[in-house]
Amino acid sequence: MSSDESLWIVLPAGQQSGGGWIDDTLKQRAAEQGLHAKVPLAGNFPRQRIEVVRGPAAAERLQELFLRRGWSDGLPVIPPTVARVKEMLSFTDRAPTEVLGEVEPLKGLASVEKIAANAVMAGCRPAYLPVVLAAVDGLLDPSFNLRGVQTTDENVTPLLVVNGPLASELDVNARFGALGPGWQANATIGRAIRLVMHNIGGGWPGAVAFAGLGQPGRYTLCLAENEAQSPWPPLHVEAGLPAGSSAVTLTRAETVINVTGGLSELASVMGSAASGFGILWSGRPTVLLAPAVAADCARRGMSKDDVRRFLWQEGRWRRADWQKSWLTERILAGRSWPEWVVTAARDGDIPAARQPEDIVLVVAGGDIPIPQNAYCPSWGFPPACITREIRLPADWPALLAEARDDAAALVAR
Amino acid sequence: MLRVSAIAEGAGVPTSSLCCEGFLGQAKTTSVGLGYPNLALATVPGHVDVQSENELRSNVLGTTVDHVIRNLTGEIAAVQATKDPAPDEIVFQGSFEEVNRLFLENGWSDGLPIVPPTKEKIAAFLAFTDLPPDHAIGKLLPDNRLATVWNVAVNGVMAGCRPEYMPILVALVEAMADPQYGVEHSGNTPGAETLIVLNGPLIKQLHFNYEQGALRDGFQANTAIGRFWRLYLRNVAGFLLHQNDKGTFGNTWRVVLAENEDSLAKMGWPTVAADMGAPPGESAVTISRFTGGNVIVSVFGDSAEKLLPYLGNALVTHTSWELVFTVGLATGTYRPLLVLSPLIAETIARTMTKAEAQEWLFENARMPAQLFEKYLWGWTNLIPGKRTLNDWVRLGKLPRVFAGNDPNRLVPVVTKPEHVMIAVSGDPLRSNCYLFVHNGMLGFPTTSTVKLPQGWRSKLRDAQG
């Protein structure tokens, strides 16, 4: 902040490779959808890297400006000041100008600096940047089909699972309340990804994104795997990364359905119309397994693969229900279900995924005798479970220690 | 190399450009300017110059080959392009300090405060040219941005120039855009810096220093125009450190060197501009890039014969790897510049013309052939093939004067006498000289005459009044 209380901010909005700003398209789309009153200042900002928001009350003014320009998920944001963005950029060795890729559907370029600006807005601590960058990198993997995720009528959102030592270093919650609220890392890393999708990719609800209802997971959906209470190899090791490395994994979650109980209860929820859209596109659903259930399975000698096979075998959508389902009657008119679905229906009921290996299994949550599991049905094509190793800067331990000391000093004062 | 890849891509041939690790940033920014912002790069770890054959082999097999395969078969990444504000767009309104902060944040400044380029100030500069503001002077690599009269004025204001310098600024950018100069090389690793030599009546009309301290900052015209040059290279051509400017060390921009034309007239010696073919009576700028230089102090003697050996020795001892521009890399483009103080020049001129002094230096400023060859390919790896000077002569690429089999025979450092440029400036009554060592075709001497606007005299009177 400068002496006159002006805020020097890094613009969070998406700029395309040709130099154009996605906000020009968004302004038009919003007007067409009758959203002009919501975002009357869409596209109205200096077309530069940096803007000066002047006082008095610059911080409050910035909130109003960002809301009216459409740069918001509805919650207040932390002003992405040049100083905060620079501080955050010190937590990566990547150049601020490095571009991770185009964010669909409007193809704003995700430069490291723009991502950092959005992460600051989301309330991330600077040290979260390496996780956010790895997650954006995964988000931009063509197999994530971000264009579809952003524009579909379904309520799908990225589900982020953090693995490895970094999860505890950054206090990404894996246990009681892992899906929130209460943990800064879970709350803000997921939100940063949403803001990247919103501000750089242009996934404005009702203007470009036409999800029927949306879901609270679209604010944030991020947790760590409860590796300490898991009897099995963690998710990133299954993906081929070395144990001891840290990683973030992205799947696409239509929603999070709570399932109290064990494998049979999970199977019963999976074998229902909840899995319909995932089945239609041969997607990869995610199961968050309570530690108590995992321990119980392990006691009975079940491996992760055994659990997957059980869920695949037992969690089946009844053929009769499938046959008269809305999807079969309304969506598929003139087309057909995937070959594996037709084959399964010939012999009986339909599994929630094409093959057992397609079920993504994560141990998460608190260790309680009344186990709380969750089923996250999948969405769309192609099948996606994308793991990215988190790249840390060379002087990570020192940076992290310094950041902790600084935070502690603020309170001590 | 990237320029070749861009040509190949233009012809529809996929490319993968090999790039030493330290040059990746430059390559990425350069390719944006070439119009192919995502030219595929294959990394060679470290720098090949200091690797053993085994190290190089394992680096190439371990990394580079994978990159080449990925580049030629994989998806091409998107990269950041920048869109410039429209020329007359007001990009910012704020205090002097705020403008300067914004310009620094955006990389539009050299680190010193700039004069905010307001429309009023730009208009004052535009009044000093008859060219329209949107007149395109040329297109400058690496950013491939148009050099226009408007952006010349903008950078002139920023650098602290006066409006009446505008005709010189336009002439400078004309020279910069001349293909013979080779502005695209301005970011190469030797980090040579341009020297601007000014000739003609404008030296006195605009109060340039051409006497004591001629190469020191302190006179507005010399200083501000020197700074303009570097700002223009940054803001229009696109040479930014850690991006497109890979000068290993570089050095600060040089102030304009104005010749002492009174002394030249007295001796009957041609000016640098006249040597370059500029019409007499007009003002002209000559730009050329020099890797370094040194003062030759206390040149002692009362005749040309006594003064020239010291100068010739300086020419030989200060020339080393730059000999690749005499032979090999761009044969015959080495153009060192000797600046004589009027005192020394006039003593030589008692018995010699400028051409005769150049002839003397060509005949006498010589080095052993084996040392010459060490600079080309012994101590450096600049010229492949380990050809001797004699080989080059036999190939018809070098004059006979370089021929012979005795490794200790003496050979000149330039291919023609007139390639040693001579200027006269500096303290008129001190016996010191200066030698600039040249960067060959990578910033070749280029002259541009200064066109004055209608009503120059009265406009100048008003501006200086």
Side-chain angles (χ1 to χ4, degrees), chain A residues 1-2 4 6 8 15-20 46-50 52 54 82-83 86 97-99 101-102 109 111 142, chain B residues 28 37 75 77-83 85 89-95 97-99 101-102 104-108 243:
Chain A
M1 205 180 287
S2 61
D4 67 350
S6 293
W8 287 68
Q15 201 177 0
Q16 294 149 332
S17 62
R47 302 308 172 92
Q48 292 185 43
R49 213 185 115 233
I50 282 168
V52 184
R54 294 184 192 287
V82 171
K86 278 186 183 158
T97 50
E98 185 182 340
V99 172
E102 293 172 320
L109 294 178
S111 69
Chain B
K28 283 177 186 167
E75 186 172 337
V79 295
Q80 179 83 58
T82 51
K83 193 170 190 182
E89 191 179 322
I90 293 174
V91 297
F92 189 74
Q93 285 173 306
S95 67
E97 287 74 18
E98 287 178 327
V99 170
R101 178 171 171 182
L102 183 90
L104 271 173
E105 291 281 5
N106 282 341
W108 299 340
Q243 293 182 37

Side-chain angles (χ1 to χ4, degrees), chain A residues 91 126-130 166 169-170 392-402:
Chain A
F91 282 79
Y128 300 167
L129 183 65
L166 205 59
E169 278 182 49
L170 298 179
L392 297 177
D395 47 353
W396 174 254
L399 277 169
L400 194 61
E402 201 181 316

Side-chain angles (χ1 to χ4, degrees), chain A residues 76-97:
Chain A
V77 297
I78 303 290
T81 58
V82 171
R84 288 191 181 113
V85 172
K86 278 186 183 158
E87 166 69 6
M88 185 171 276
L89 288 171
S90 69
F91 282 79
T92 179
D93 287 339
R94 302 169 86 151
T97 50

